[in-house]
Amino acid sequence: MSVVDTLRNHVRDHKRGMFVDLVFAIAWVTAVSVIFDLLSAPQWVYYLTLAGGVVAYYGFFWSLELAMEQQ
């Protein structure tokens, strides 16, 4: 199996999850960029907030999973 076939199979198997990840990343970066365009904060805070998107991602989907289990 070639690398292209492996990549194609991976995308086919995880298409919805990859799309959700992309939408979350775009929304997070957009929100952080808009907020920091309005505020006057140091550059390191901007980068720290962008990195906080990783924690926000896992926290959001973890809580979503818990909520779905309780129903």
Side-chain angles (χ1 to χ4, degrees), residues 1-64:
M1 187 180 269
S2 71
V3 173
V4 174
D5 290 335
T6 303
L7 185 61
R8 187 177 294 132
N9 287 338
H10 180 77
V11 170
R12 187 180 312 122
D13 292 343
H14 302 287
K15 189 183 307 181
R16 185 179 186 285
M18 292 172 74
F19 179 73
V20 170
D21 294 348
L22 178 65
V23 169
F24 186 89
I26 290 172
W28 184 262
V29 170
T30 301
V32 170
S33 296
V34 167
I35 289 170
F36 278 88
D37 281 345
L38 299 174
L39 299 176
S40 167
Q43 193 73 20
W44 65 270
V45 176
Y46 172 74
Y47 291 130
L48 188 64
T49 307
L50 282 177
V54 175
V55 176
Y57 172 84
Y58 285 108
F60 174 75
F61 285 105
W62 177 69
S63 66
L64 185 64

